[in-house]
Amino acid sequence: MCEPVIIAFCCYHCSYEAADRAGGARKEYPENVRIIRVPCTGRIEPEFIMKAFKCGADGVLVLGCRPGGCHFKVGNYKAYGRYLLLRKILKSVGVEEERIKFDWVDASEDDRFVRILTEFVEKIRGLKKL
Protein backbone atom coordinates (compact mmCIF):
# COMPACT_ATOMS: atom_id res chain seq x y z
CA MET A 1 0.00 0.00 0.00
CA CYS A 2 1.34 3.40 -1.00
CA GLU A 3 1.42 5.95 1.80
CA PRO A 4 -0.15 9.33 1.07
CA VAL A 5 2.14 12.32 0.73
CA ILE A 6 1.14 15.14 3.05
CA ILE A 7 2.50 18.68 2.90
CA ALA A 8 2.21 20.67 6.14
CA PHE A 9 2.78 24.42 5.97
CA CYS A 10 3.74 25.46 9.50
CA CYS A 11 4.06 28.94 10.94
CA TYR A 12 7.59 29.53 12.21
CA HIS A 13 6.46 31.05 15.51
CA CYS A 14 3.82 28.55 16.60
CA SER A 15 3.12 25.30 14.77
CA TYR A 16 6.70 24.82 13.62
CA GLU A 17 7.83 25.30 17.21
CA ALA A 18 5.28 22.65 18.24
CA ALA A 19 6.75 20.33 15.59
CA ASP A 20 10.22 21.03 16.92
CA ARG A 21 9.11 20.28 20.47
CA ALA A 22 7.45 17.05 19.33
CA GLY A 23 10.68 16.02 17.63
CA GLY A 24 12.77 17.01 20.64
CA ALA A 25 10.54 14.96 22.90
CA ARG A 26 10.80 12.04 20.43
CA LYS A 27 7.06 11.94 19.90
CA GLU A 28 6.13 9.95 16.85
CA TYR A 29 4.07 11.29 14.00
CA PRO A 30 3.59 9.98 10.47
CA GLU A 31 6.76 9.89 8.40
CA ASN A 32 4.94 10.80 5.22
CA VAL A 33 4.35 14.40 6.32
CA ARG A 34 6.68 16.93 4.75
CA ILE A 35 6.86 20.09 6.85
CA ILE A 36 7.45 23.42 5.17
CA ARG A 37 8.29 26.23 7.57
CA VAL A 38 6.86 29.60 6.62
CA PRO A 39 7.33 32.94 8.42
CA CYS A 40 3.56 33.25 8.81
CA THR A 41 0.60 31.33 7.41
CA GLY A 42 -0.56 34.65 5.99
CA ARG A 43 2.39 34.36 3.62
CA ILE A 44 1.02 31.18 2.04
CA GLU A 45 -0.35 32.01 -1.36
CA PRO A 46 -3.10 29.77 -2.75
CA GLU A 47 -0.73 28.89 -5.59
CA PHE A 48 1.60 27.19 -3.09
CA ILE A 49 -1.14 24.80 -2.10
CA MET A 50 -2.28 24.16 -5.66
CA LYS A 51 1.35 23.50 -6.63
CA ALA A 52 1.65 21.01 -3.77
CA PHE A 53 -1.27 19.06 -5.19
CA LYS A 54 0.10 19.37 -8.72
CA CYS A 55 3.45 17.97 -7.55
CA GLY A 56 1.85 14.90 -5.99
CA ALA A 57 0.61 15.79 -2.53
CA ASP A 58 -2.42 13.81 -1.44
CA GLY A 59 -3.28 16.28 1.31
CA VAL A 60 -2.20 19.70 2.55
CA LEU A 61 -2.23 20.99 6.11
CA VAL A 62 -1.95 24.65 7.04
CA LEU A 63 -1.13 25.09 10.71
CA GLY A 64 -1.11 28.61 12.06
CA CYS A 65 -1.04 30.50 15.31
CA ARG A 66 -4.11 30.50 17.50
CA PRO A 67 -6.54 33.40 17.04
CA GLY A 68 -5.01 36.50 18.62
CA GLY A 69 -1.56 34.88 18.71
CA CYS A 70 -0.23 35.76 15.25
CA HIS A 71 3.09 37.59 15.45
CA PHE A 72 2.03 39.53 12.35
CA LYS A 73 -1.37 40.34 13.90
CA VAL A 74 -3.72 39.03 11.18
CA GLY A 75 -1.70 36.60 9.08
CA ASN A 76 -3.50 33.57 10.48
CA TYR A 77 -6.90 35.14 9.74
CA LYS A 78 -5.85 35.85 6.15
CA ALA A 79 -4.69 32.27 5.80
CA TYR A 80 -7.97 30.97 7.17
CA GLY A 81 -9.92 33.06 4.63
CA ARG A 82 -7.78 31.67 1.80
CA TYR A 83 -8.29 28.15 3.13
CA LEU A 84 -12.07 28.54 2.98
CA LEU A 85 -11.81 29.80 -0.60
CA LEU A 86 -9.46 27.00 -1.62
CA ARG A 87 -11.85 24.38 -0.29
CA LYS A 88 -14.52 25.72 -2.63
CA ILE A 89 -12.13 25.84 -5.56
CA LEU A 90 -10.93 22.28 -4.97
CA LYS A 91 -14.50 21.05 -4.75
CA SER A 92 -15.38 22.82 -8.01
CA VAL A 93 -12.61 20.95 -9.83
CA GLY A 94 -13.55 17.58 -8.36
CA VAL A 95 -11.03 17.33 -5.53
CA GLU A 96 -12.40 16.37 -2.13
CA GLU A 97 -12.47 19.30 0.29
CA GLU A 98 -11.09 17.02 2.99
CA ARG A 99 -7.71 17.02 1.28
CA ILE A 100 -6.95 20.41 2.77
CA LYS A 101 -7.14 21.25 6.45
CA PHE A 102 -6.48 24.37 8.46
CA ASP A 103 -5.91 24.35 12.19
CA TRP A 104 -4.51 26.47 14.98
CA VAL A 105 -1.51 25.16 16.93
CA ASP A 106 0.32 27.06 19.63
CA ALA A 107 4.05 26.54 20.19
CA SER A 108 3.45 24.63 23.41
CA GLU A 109 0.95 22.21 21.83
CA ASP A 110 3.25 19.47 20.61
CA ASP A 111 0.74 16.75 21.56
CA ARG A 112 -1.97 18.56 19.62
CA PHE A 113 0.39 18.91 16.65
CA VAL A 114 1.04 15.17 16.62
CA ARG A 115 -2.68 14.38 16.95
CA ILE A 116 -3.66 16.70 14.08
CA LEU A 117 -1.06 15.17 11.77
CA THR A 118 -1.95 11.61 12.71
CA GLU A 119 -5.70 12.14 12.27
CA PHE A 120 -5.22 13.96 8.97
CA VAL A 121 -3.04 11.20 7.53
CA GLU A 122 -5.65 8.62 8.54
CA LYS A 123 -8.37 10.64 6.85
CA ILE A 124 -6.36 10.95 3.63
CA ARG A 125 -5.61 7.20 3.65
CA GLY A 126 -9.37 6.66 3.47
CA LEU A 127 -9.70 8.68 0.27
CA LYS A 128 -9.00 7.49 -3.25
CA LYS A 129 -5.59 8.37 -4.69
CA LEU A 130 -5.61 11.63 -6.65
Side-chain angles (χ1 to χ4, degrees), residues 83-98:
Y83 156 75
L84 294 175
L85 179 63
L86 275 170
R87 283 179 58 104
K88 291 179 183 175
I89 292 170
L90 289 173
K91 185 177 180 180
S92 73
V93 296
V95 176
E96 301 95 336
E97 299 172 287
E98 297 84 5

Side-chain angles (χ1 to χ4, degrees), residues 58 96 98-99 122-129:
D58 296 298
E96 301 95 336
E98 297 84 5
R99 291 189 182 274
E122 285 303 315
K123 180 181 278 185
I124 298 301
R125 279 187 185 133
L127 299 175
K128 289 183 191 174
K129 188 82 177 157

